[in-house]
Amino acid sequence: MKKYTTSRTVAATPQQVWALIATPSDFGWRSDVRDVVDDGFSYSEISKRTGYATDYTVTHDEPNRRRDTRLKHIDGTGTRSFVLTANSDTTTTVKIVEEFAYNGPWITQPLVDIFLRWQQKTYVKDLEKALS
């Protein structure tokens, strides 16, 4: 499994950030998601870019602090965690850690690396924009 991590400090409280990340069905702020099917602790995001679904199951929730998910995609499986840290100046640092086991040919692994890094950067950029 390869690990991908990004973080960004946003001008919002952990409660404001949590309201977005813990409500997948409210995906209008996400520029890379076409649709979401949400049944509470499991949900599927349909990518605008590829049309493929990624299925998520929430495995741990600490409201306003942390959300851990298990994910399944046509190209592999893994985990994604969101860690929220409140800062003293009413900002929040959002850290996303994803571990992904790609089940395709090894020669295309670099393309998966690029895509997953792009996806994380897009997520935090969209999050920041939604909170501004």
Side-chain angles (χ1 to χ4, degrees):
M1 251 189 229
K2 288 195 77 170
K3 189 175 193 174
Y4 308 87
T5 303
T6 193
S7 66
R8 172 100 37 115
T9 299
V10 295
T13 65
Q15 293 81 3
Q16 292 168 311
V17 175
W18 186 260
L20 291 176
I21 68 169
T23 314
S25 58
D26 181 20
F27 65 93
W29 58 277
R30 302 274 309 276
S31 66
D32 62 334
V33 175
R34 181 175 67 201
D35 195 15
V36 170
V37 177
D38 184 2
D39 70 359
F41 279 89
S42 294
Y43 58 97
S44 296
E45 293 180 349
I46 312 301
S47 170
K48 277 185 184 175
R49 191 173 193 173
T50 66
Y52 292 127
T54 303
D55 301 323
Y56 297 90
T57 302
V58 177
T59 59
H60 180 79
D61 255 348
E62 283 181 61
N64 308 318
R65 297 187 64 179
R66 183 182 186 106
R67 172 169 271 205
D68 297 329
T69 62
R70 188 174 54 248
L71 67 91
K72 184 178 179 183
H73 185 271
I74 192 170
D75 292 325
T77 59
T79 61
R80 180 184 288 169
S81 297
F82 299 89
V83 180
L84 309 180
T85 305
N87 301 315
S88 61
D89 60 355
T90 68
T91 63
T92 301
T93 301
V94 180
K95 182 177 181 183
I96 303 171
V97 179
E98 188 164 345
E99 293 188 40
F100 190 74
Y102 177 56
N103 62 14
W106 66 269
I107 192 115
T108 58
Q109 178 69 54
L111 297 174
V112 172
D113 295 345
I114 290 167
F115 178 77
L116 290 174
R117 287 188 183 98
W118 170 85
Q119 188 178 47
Q120 284 187 341
K121 287 178 184 178
T122 300
Y123 189 98
V124 293
K125 182 178 157 188
D126 289 349
L127 181 65
E128 192 170 46
K129 185 176 177 182
L131 292 165
S132 64

